Amino acid sequence: MKEKNVSRITMIHLLGLQTPHSITFLIFFLFLLIYCLTICGNLLIIILVSYSKSLHSPMYFFLSQLSIADILISTDILPNTLYAVLMKGIIISFSDCITQCYFFVVSEGLECLLLTVMCYDRYVAICKPLHYTLLMNFQLCWVMIITCWVLSLLVGLIVTLTISQLDFCGPDIVDHFFCDLDPILQLSCSDTATVLLEVTIVNFVLAVIPFFIIIVSYVYIIITIFKIPSITGRQKVFSTCSSHLTIVCIYYGTIVCVYLVPRRGQSWGITKFLSLLYTVVTPLMNPIIYSLRNKDLKKAVANIITTVCNCI
């Protein structure tokens, strides 16, 4: 057990990405562009699903919730990251750091659960098409969404409350661009066994179990697709879940590399790069992937553009 110190950390110094000075403004404007596109792209999906009657289905309802989670994680991470890029680091209060950690846990847990719910929706649509309307009614959809939000908020609260009870005696430097769990725990001079156990349970509940459910669901989906006699029919059915599968591969691929692969021999530079993928890039890619691969969304956008042009 680490020895406790009398002084307690009140401020945290985040080192940020530590980019070369010559490309500071380039990185800043790149991240600013990514943030603006992420917010606009996800807001567009939320607006389209809300106002377009052709998109009033469980799949797009879940997609709008995923967009809310993407906006939450981007807003939690990117504003501080932008400031840190310009200032070559950022000093924030310990309470702000814990708050950022809380919203990070909530949004990432929500994303995992929503991807699982969306996978179940595709499983029912492809494997049990005759029972889809009965099984995926909007009452069940609301129950699933509320469960996802409540579970994510509760888990985030439990983890961050436990962390806040620890003693943090220094150093006050975190070599990261946001307050992630692991670098924060490294600053503690208390016994972190309880928190580490909680984090392990959280990872199992919010990441491992959902990922296992997604894998099993896609095994059944692929088996069902191969039973379709025509190649055109297979391609048409597979196209309905290809966007979701792409996002799952990107999202879980980076999470596995960051949290489940042993850190021994892995530099913080690589860890920060992988963290950028699921905290910055994935929220940007979600609306792009769904928009490019989905005819219904394209049609809804075209209808809105036509309506606006006619009004003008």
Side-chain angles (χ1 to χ4, degrees):
M1 184 186 295
K2 298 178 183 179
E3 292 184 2
K4 291 187 177 182
N5 211 326
V6 176
S7 60
R8 181 182 172 88
I9 294 177
T10 57
M11 306 298 289
I12 297 290
H13 183 197
L14 292 173
L15 295 182
L17 297 174
Q18 297 175 306
T19 56
H21 184 73
S22 57
I23 60 171
T24 295
F25 286 102
L26 177 63
I27 298 297
F28 173 81
F29 285 113
L30 176 62
F31 280 172
L32 181 61
L33 178 63
I34 289 174
Y35 183 52
C36 293
L37 290 176
T38 299
I39 299 299
C40 292
N42 285 290
L43 276 178
L44 178 62
I45 287 182
I46 294 171
I47 293 170
L48 288 175
V49 173
S50 299
Y51 291 98
S52 180
K53 292 182 180 179
S54 62
L55 302 180
H56 288 177
S57 66
M59 180 175 73
Y60 296 111
F61 176 61
F62 295 142
L63 179 59
S64 66
Q65 295 296 313
L66 186 67
S67 293
I68 295 174
D70 288 334
I71 291 174
L72 180 62
I73 184 64
S74 296
T75 304
D76 183 45
I77 301 296
L78 273 172
N80 279 346
T81 303
L82 286 168
Y83 185 79
V85 168
L86 280 181
M87 305 306 295
K88 298 300 178 183
I90 182 173
I91 298 176
I92 62 175
S93 66
F94 183 78
S95 59
D96 288 344
C97 191
I98 293 295
T99 302
Q100 186 184 46
C101 182
Y102 168 74
F103 284 107
F104 167 72
V105 173
V106 170
S107 56
E108 291 300 317
L110 181 62
E111 188 114 0
C112 290
L113 295 175
L114 287 174
L115 288 174
T116 309
V117 168
M118 294 171 74
C119 182
Y120 176 73
D121 172 72
R122 291 299 84 205
Y123 162 76
V124 175
I126 295 173
C127 300
K128 301 179 183 294
L130 299 178
H131 300 90
Y132 181 78
T133 306
L134 180 64
L135 292 175
M136 295 302 298
N137 57 72
F138 272 97
Q139 183 178 0
L140 175 63
C141 292
W142 273 109
V143 170
M144 295 170 78
I145 289 301
I146 292 173
T147 302
C148 290
W149 275 99
V150 171
L151 186 59
S152 301
L153 291 169
L154 186 61
V155 166
L157 184 63
I158 292 173
V159 172
T160 49
L161 281 179
T162 307
I163 292 175
S164 64
Q165 300 303 312
L166 298 175
D167 291 316
F168 292 88
C169 312
D172 59 355
I173 297 175
V174 174
D175 188 8
H176 214 321
F177 61 92
F178 72 99
C179 294
D180 201 356
L181 288 172
D182 190 52
I184 291 178
L185 291 178
Q186 290 184 15
L187 305 181
S188 175
C189 50
S190 303
D191 186 2
T192 58
T194 303
V195 181
L196 291 175
L197 178 60
E198 282 186 1
V199 171
T200 302
I201 295 173
V202 166
N203 288 336
F204 189 77
V205 172
L206 297 184
V208 177
I209 293 178
F211 187 53
F212 178 75
I213 293 172
I214 290 173
I215 290 176
V216 172
S217 298
Y218 269 108
V219 168
Y220 281 104
I221 289 172
I222 292 171
I223 291 173
T224 303
I225 290 175
F226 275 112
K227 290 180 180 179
I228 300 173
S230 65
I231 296 177
T232 305
R234 292 177 186 174
Q235 291 176 342
K236 186 177 180 180
V237 173
F238 182 74
S239 65
T240 63
C241 59
S242 58
S243 299
H244 177 265
L245 183 59
T246 302
I247 291 172
V248 167
C249 291
I250 296 173
Y251 184 73
Y252 274 100
T254 52
I255 282 185
V256 167
C257 291
V258 173
Y259 293 105
L260 300 182
V261 174
R263 290 280 177 87
R264 188 173 298 174
Q266 188 182 93
S267 68
W268 272 110
I270 296 175
T271 301
K272 285 192 281 188
F273 173 75
L274 293 173
S275 298
L276 277 173
L277 291 180
Y278 70 87
T279 59
V280 177
V281 177
T282 302
L284 170 66
M285 293 303 294
N286 286 353
I288 293 175
I289 291 173
Y290 269 96
S291 299
L292 291 176
R293 290 175 172 265
N294 194 287
K295 294 180 180 178
D296 293 332
L297 283 175
K298 291 179 183 178
K299 187 177 179 180
V301 172
N303 290 337
I304 288 180
I305 293 174
T306 303
T307 303
V308 171
C309 291
N310 290 335
C311 293
I312 295 174

